[in-house]
Amino acid sequence: MTDTALIVIDVQNDFCPGGALAVAGGDLIVPGITALMADAGAVVLTQDWHPGDHSSFASQHAGRAPMEQIDMPYGPQVLWPDHCVQGRDGAEFHPDLNTSRADMILRKGFRRDIDSYSAFFENDQTTPTGLDGYLRSRGIGKLVFCGLATDFCVAWSALDAAKLGFDVSVRLDLCRAIDMGGSLDAALGRMKDMGIALQRG
Ligand code: VGL
Ligand code: ZN
C-alpha cells in the first residue's frame, strides 16, 4: 500500500544483546521486521546518532549514574550509558537488518545539548527532524512502527505521529522495551489513550 510507511526505530547494535544499552531480545525482532518490509509502501529506518560527548550520557555529568533522571532546560531527561556514538560499531544497524530496502534513513540525537527519542521532534517537543514533511510530501498517511525501545523511542515517535494526524499502529511483537520504573506500562497507556492501534501480530 503506497500510502503506508513502515518506520523501523533504532535497530542498532547498542540496543541489541552485547551492546552498550542492550534491550532484552532486541535482536529477535529482526526477522519479523524483514518480513514486514515486503508489503510496505515505504520504509524509513531511524538511527540514534550521538556525538561522543552527548548530554544524555551519564558520563558527561559528574556524580551521576546511568538510569538517573535530571532536569535539562527542555525538561526531564534520563541519563544513559554512552551509546550509539557516531561512527562506532554500536551505532551501526543490526547486521541482519535489510538496510537496502530503506527509502530513507533518519539520524537523530546528533545535537550535543538535546536528546531526540522521537523520530519527529527532539526532546524539547518543538525542534522538527524533517520526517513529517518527508512523509507528507510522499502522500503517506498511515504509519506502522516497530523497533527499539518500545517505551522510549518507539512510543515517543508513535505519540508524535498521532499528534501530527497520521493513522498510527505499533507492532508490539516487533518491539522490545527497556522497562525501567514502570516505563513500559506508562508508554502503553499513553499510546492507547491517543488511539494508537497496539498490535501483537
Ligand atoms: C533510546 C534511550 C536512549 C531508544 C535511544 O532508541 O529507545 N533509548 N536513546
Ligand atoms: Zn540515545
Side-chain angles (χ1 to χ4, degrees), residues 44-48 104-108 118-120 129-131:
V44 176
L45 307 180
T46 70
Q47 195 171 21
D48 211 37
M104 186 196 202
I105 295 177
L106 181 100
R107 289 173 167 169
K108 60 184 181 62
S118 166
F120 292 93
T129 63
L131 183 58

Side-chain angles (χ1 to χ4, degrees), residues 8 10 17 40-41 43 51 83 121 163 166-168 171:
V8 182
D10 299 359
V43 174
H83 66 279
F121 296 101
K163 286 176 200 153
F166 290 96
D167 177 331
V168 180
R171 281 289 299 263

Side-chain angles (χ1 to χ4, degrees), residues 9-10 15 21 48 50 80 83 108 115 117 148-150 152-154 178:
I9 303 290
D10 299 359
F15 298 122
L21 183 39
D48 211 37
H50 300 308
W80 303 106
H83 66 279
K108 60 184 181 62
D115 207 357
Y117 294 153
L148 305 169
T150 321
F152 287 92
C153 291
V154 174
I178 294 172

Side-chain angles (χ1 to χ4, degrees), residues 37 43 45 93-105:
M37 285 178 176
V43 174
L45 307 180
F93 291 111
H94 184 285
D96 296 335
L97 190 71
N98 181 6
T99 57
S100 61
R101 177 66 178 82
D103 297 295
M104 186 196 202
I105 295 177

Side-chain angles (χ1 to χ4, degrees), residues 111-178:
R111 290 192 178 92
R112 182 188 167 279
D113 293 329
I114 184 167
D115 207 357
S116 188
Y117 294 153
S118 166
F120 292 93
F121 296 101
E122 300 191 1
N123 283 11
D124 59 1
Q125 295 176 310
T126 306
T127 307
T129 63
L131 183 58
D132 179 36
Y134 173 79
L135 295 170
R136 283 185 204 285
S137 60
R138 285 197 52 177
I140 290 165
K142 295 182 191 159
L143 304 180
V144 178
F145 286 87
C146 59
L148 305 169
T150 321
D151 41 348
F152 287 92
C153 291
V154 174
W156 285 52
S157 298
L159 287 165
D160 280 346
K163 286 176 200 153
L164 288 166
F166 290 96
D167 177 331
V168 180
S169 59
V170 176
R171 281 289 299 263
L172 291 176
D173 58 317
L174 299 178
C175 296
R176 291 293 184 274
I178 294 172

Side-chain angles (χ1 to χ4, degrees), residues 31-92:
I33 292 173
T34 303
L36 264 197
M37 285 178 176
D39 301 326
V43 174
V44 176
L45 307 180
T46 70
Q47 195 171 21
D48 211 37
W49 192 250
H50 300 308
D53 59 352
H54 194 250
S55 58
S56 77
F57 296 170
S59 63
Q60 299 299 306
H61 303 268
R64 296 291 183 166
M67 309 307 180
E68 287 180 17
Q69 190 169 293
I70 62 164
D71 288 315
M72 296 286 257
Y74 53 82
Q77 171 71 49
V78 178
L79 296 176
W80 303 106
D82 292 17
H83 66 279
C84 297
V85 174
Q86 297 168 2
R88 299 226 189 119
D89 184 61
E92 293 300 314

